[in-house]
């Protein structure tokens, strides 16, 4: 396989956190990859899928399949959006064998960013440096659907100057959950506050995650509470030097 | 969302002492489960889960066969199986039995199935006295409340709550030491056991090949309930049947560990038929009530019927970040937490509380701990689809449907998507660092308003990723 990779930056990074996408491209290029950005890309369809609108999710999923058909490997700065493609697209096309075949082919090409680095690129030390005390937040879909646990931690362990402190409990949801965050806003906010207590318990200055959506929830709640803890995507940490 | 659901969630979140009680109690159960299922303590834990899942799948796929076998074997031992389709049929059966035998007093051991059909209330309505003998259930009966949790029904009550309750309801001196409170309850309940005519229990498992009812408990009250009175009635959902006694080797290892973090519960009773000639104890009559109450509705659905695999261990509740915030009584039916969220809409119909399958962040913690490996998040997602189909049929929630149609259209037209994104960004407050705490009134509506009610919003970046990419 060549060293070409395509970015699927996700609609959230495209619209709200473009620096995360740029950082991811930076790290990949530094490792010698040729990076492209298929312009037709939009969203994976997860918002519709999680809200029960399967027909609409199917439409968006089809668009994704078409946009990335020619890509050899696709890297995504989100465990949740990766899992949508690798774990849920298939559910959407159970009754369409031809599309299902495309989905299965796609599942093998799509990688969450940290996993891509450790599994495909085979690196743990990307040459990053960041003087900071950080804690890592496991996004639920990355953790439970993709089984990502050690990859980001190994990558962080090699960042010079960085100290990682685990929060307790580490694996509890931040309360984002897509439309859940607005349909059950008060509950979602209460979950975020519990997460923040765990974060504060570590004394870290920075919360790192693989998922922009968790970071939006956590940063939004930190900022509302007037707390001086920042959030960063793993790609931004790894791009620091 | 129904006003009631919304209000209950709000009230629970706003009650600081209740929040602490729920979080602490579930946390303790969760920690204990983690300890006893750890790799070094139970190396074959995952393998056991896989086996339990396969056994349940096989049984539910062949439910008619195993129910018939169970019935034959119960009858061979001199017991009787009664099929009931709903709550009324269960209470009618018990009422009729009580009338024929002239019974006035009933003792009950813990059973979610009888809670599900409001059996106590129905019996009391007809002048019978029906007393809960599990300590937690007894506390709730005195408090006129439904279980807060499927395993630890009075999980939300502190010992001070119980002290107040006992003082008021039983007219005893106030005690706050748990052991003393237990003794008070025990004193009252012993009397009831001795006088009761009928004992009603639930069932953890029904064994097809031996016609036995298996009861798992810690207090010993279920043993008394099923042996002291002349008549024993076990009430169980039809999904409780398992093929063979030896399958228990798998389920018993998982049940206590998942439920309370014990290696085994204190008492595991096997009850098959009434007292036989030469036996010194046991009831004279033995009935097993097999309840449908919506369960057979799940059978045609190959995907969602895995919801029937549940062994009611409560592990999913203890680990669920939503249950741990909103507690048991926010849920619209007696079954709470993740399992409640998937079976309530299926047993009662989705319109019972259409918002229920949406009250989840889909974090997946439940599926990860479920000893029989029910893919709860998957079922929730399917139920969400069912709710939206129902709404479309009935012409409800039209605006949301329209919004998602627009979403799908925009997301399949990249140029429009880009324009829409930039348009939104141009009206949104910009700035490259500071998060936004409030928006001007006309913009702070719907989801925006809901988001801002709890959190700040990210500032809109001056360029989208694709613009930055083009310019680099
Ligand atoms: S769904 Fe699974 S975890 Fe939840 S109560 Fe049932 S068996 Fe236990």
């Amino acid at each position: 396989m060549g060293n070409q990779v395509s970015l699927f930056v996700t609609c959230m990074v495209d619209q709200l956190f473009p620096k995360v996408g740029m950082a991811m491209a930076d790290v990949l290029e530094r490792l010698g990859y040729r990076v492209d950005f298929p312009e037709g890309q939009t969203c994976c369809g997860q918002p519709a899928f999680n809200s029960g609108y399967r027909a609409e999710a199917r439409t968006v999923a089809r668009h994704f399949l078409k946009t990335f058909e020619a890509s050899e490997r696709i890297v995504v700065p989100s465990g949740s959006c990766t899992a949508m493609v690798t774990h849920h697209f298939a559910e959407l096309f159970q009754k369409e064998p031809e599309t299902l075949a495309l989905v299965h082919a796609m599942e093998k090409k799509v990688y969450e960013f940290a996993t891509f680095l450790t599994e495909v690129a085979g690196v743990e030390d990307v040459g990053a440096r960041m003087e900071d005390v950080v804690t890592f937040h496991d996004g639920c879909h990355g953790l439970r659907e993709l089984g990502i646990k050690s990859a980001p931690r190994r990558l962080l362990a090699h960042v010079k100057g960085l100290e990682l402190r685990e929060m307790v409990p580490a694996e509890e949801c931040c309360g984002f959950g897509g439309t859940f965050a607005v349909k059950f806003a008060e509950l979602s906010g209460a979950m975020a506050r519990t997460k923040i207590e765990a974060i504060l318990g570590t004394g870290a200055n920075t919360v790192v995650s693989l998922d922009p959506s968790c970071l939006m929830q956590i940063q939004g709640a930190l900022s509302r509470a007037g707390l001086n803890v920042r959030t960063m995507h793993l790609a931004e940490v790894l791009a620091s030097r | 969302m129904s006003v009631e659901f919304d209000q209950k969630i709000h009230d629970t979140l706003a009650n600081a002492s209740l929040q602490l009680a729920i979080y602490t109690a579930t946390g303790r159960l969760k920690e204990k489960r983690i300890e006893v299922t750890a790799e070094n303590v139970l190396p074959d834990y995952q393998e056991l889960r896989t086996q339990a899942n396969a056994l349940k799948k096989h049984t539910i796929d062949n439910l008619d066969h195993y129910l018939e076998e169970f019935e034959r074997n119960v009858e061979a031992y001199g017991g009787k199986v009664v099929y009931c389709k709903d709550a009324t049929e269960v209470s009618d059966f018990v009422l009729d039995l009580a009338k024929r035998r002239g019974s006035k007093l009933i003792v009950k051991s813990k059973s979610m199935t009888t809670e599900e059909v409001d059996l106590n209330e129905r019996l009391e309505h007809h002048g019978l006295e029906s007393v809960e003998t599990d300590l937690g259930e007894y506390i709730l009966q005195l408090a006129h409340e439904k279980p807060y949790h499927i395993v630890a029904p009075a999980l939300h009550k502190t010992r001070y709550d119980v002290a107040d309750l006992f003082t008021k309801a039983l007219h005893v001196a106030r005690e706050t030491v748990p052991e003393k409170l237990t003794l008070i309850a025990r004193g009252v309940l012993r009397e009831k056991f001795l006088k009761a005519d009928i004992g009603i229990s639930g069932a953890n498992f029904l064994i097809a090949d031996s016609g036995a009812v298996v009861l798992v408990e810690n207090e010993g009250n279920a043993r008394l309930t099923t042996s002291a009175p002349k008549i024993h009635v076990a009430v169980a959902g039809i999904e409780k049947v398992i093929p063979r006694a030896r399958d228990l080797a798998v389920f018993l290892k998982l049940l206590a560990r998942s439920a309370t973090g014990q290696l085994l519960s204190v008492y595991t009773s096997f009850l098959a038929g009434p007292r036989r000639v030469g036996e010194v104890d046991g009831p004279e009559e033995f009935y097993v009530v097999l309840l449908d109450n919506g369960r057979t509705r799940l059978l045609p659905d190959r995907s969602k019927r895995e919801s029937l695999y549940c062994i009611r261990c409560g592990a999913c509740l203890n680990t669920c970040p939503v249950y741990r915030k909103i507690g048991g009584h926010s849920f619209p039916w007696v079954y709470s937490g993740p399992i409640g969220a998937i079976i309530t809409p299926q047993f009662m119909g989705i319109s019972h509380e259409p918002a229920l399958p949406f009250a989840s962040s889909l974090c997946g913690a439940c599926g990860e701990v479920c000893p029989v490996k029910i893919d709860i998040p998957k079922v929730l997602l399917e139920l969400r689809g069912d709710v939206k189909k129902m709404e479309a049929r009935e012409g409800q929630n039209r605006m949301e449907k329209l919004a998602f149609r627009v979403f799908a259209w925009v997301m399949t037209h990249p140029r429009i998507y880009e324009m829409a994104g930039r348009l939104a960004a141009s009206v949104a407050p910009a700035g490259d660092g500071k998060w936004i705490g409030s928006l001007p009134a006309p913009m702070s509506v719907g989801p925006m308003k809901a988001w801002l009610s709890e959190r700040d919003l990210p500032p809109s970046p001056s360029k989208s990723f694709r613009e930055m990419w083009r310019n680099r």
Side-chain angles (χ1 to χ4, degrees), chain B residues 112-139:
Chain B
M112 282 306 295
T113 314
T114 58
E115 290 289 352
E116 169 187 335
V117 293
D118 301 318
L119 190 58
N120 283 341
E121 293 81 350
R122 285 166 183 269
L123 299 179
E124 277 160 16
H125 183 76
H126 287 89
L128 292 178
E129 184 184 356
S130 176
V131 184
E132 292 291 345
T133 61
D134 170 88
L135 182 59
E137 289 283 352
Y138 180 60
I139 292 168

Side-chain angles (χ1 to χ4, degrees), chain A residues 46-213:
Chain A
Q46 186 171 194
F49 180 68
N50 282 1
S51 303
Y53 291 97
R54 295 204 163 196
E56 287 75 8
R58 213 170 280 129
T59 306
V60 181
R62 251 189 217 108
H63 177 78
F64 180 97
L65 292 171
K66 197 171 74 207
T67 308
F68 288 97
E69 198 171 6
S71 298
E72 268 178 50
R73 281 173 306 200
I74 301 128
V75 187
V76 190
S78 157
S80 191
C81 304
T82 305
M84 177 66 199
V85 179
T86 59
H87 285 61
H88 297 295
F89 272 18
E91 283 167 53
L92 288 172
F93 296 107
Q94 283 308 318
K95 292 191 188 129
E96 294 178 34
E98 278 170 31
T99 320
L100 197 58
L102 295 177
V103 168
H104 290 321
M106 185 61 74
E107 286 166 0
K108 298 195 187 77
K109 304 197 296 186
V110 178
Y111 295 91
E112 179 283 320
F113 173 63
T115 317
F116 181 82
L117 295 183
T118 56
E119 307 289 304
V120 183
V123 290
E124 292 187 356
D125 187 347
V126 299
R129 162 181 292 279
M130 191 172 101
E131 303 280 342
D132 203 359
V133 179
V134 310
T135 185
F136 184 76
H137 166 67
D138 290 284
C140 296
H141 297 162
L143 178 70
R144 300 199 178 88
E145 291 184 317
L146 305 178
I148 301 173
K149 177 92 193 169
S150 78
R153 290 176 168 82
R154 280 183 281 146
L155 289 158
L156 287 171
H158 286 92
V159 175
K160 289 180 193 63
L162 183 143
E163 182 194 338
L164 174 67
R165 291 191 195 156
E166 294 289 349
M167 58 181 117
V168 193
E171 300 184 351
E172 206 158 293
C173 180
C174 66
F176 177 69
T179 46
F180 171 78
V182 289
K183 279 191 176 151
F184 292 86
E186 192 183 358
L187 169 56
S188 168
M191 288 161 73
R193 283 189 289 281
T194 299
K195 188 86 225 176
I196 283 175
E197 275 171 38
I199 291 167
L200 294 180
T202 65
N205 305 311
T206 306
V207 189
V208 181
S209 178
L210 303 173
D211 274 279
S213 52

Side-chain angles (χ1 to χ4, degrees), chain B residues 150 310-316 339 369-372 374 376:
Chain B
I150 61 178
C310 176
I311 57 172
R312 307 278 188 267
C313 74
C316 57
I339 184 62
V369 302
C370 176
V372 290
I374 301 174
I376 299 172

Side-chain angles (χ1 to χ4, degrees), chain A residues 14 29 39-42 50 53 56 141 144 172-173 181 185-186 188 193-194 217 219-220 223-224, chain B residues 10 23 324-325 361-363 368 384 400-401 411 417 435 437 452 454-456 465-466 470 472:
Chain A
D14 186 26
E29 285 178 344
E39 280 260 349
Q41 66 180 267
T42 55
N50 282 1
Y53 291 97
E56 287 75 8
H141 297 162
R144 300 199 178 88
E172 206 158 293
C173 180
E186 192 183 358
S188 168
R193 283 189 289 281
T194 299
Q217 165 88 345
Q219 183 71 69
S223 167
R224 176 58 57 93
Chain B
H10 171 79
Y23 209 75
R324 299 184 74 194
K325 290 287 173 209
S361 63
L362 298 173
C363 79
E368 192 179 49
R384 289 181 181 191
E400 191 190 80
K401 171 87 183 154
M411 292 307 181
Y417 157 84
W435 283 51
L452 282 167
E454 295 286 329
R455 296 138 294 210
D456 288 355
F465 176 82
R466 62 190 67 220
R470 280 180 209 131
R472 86 178 193 146

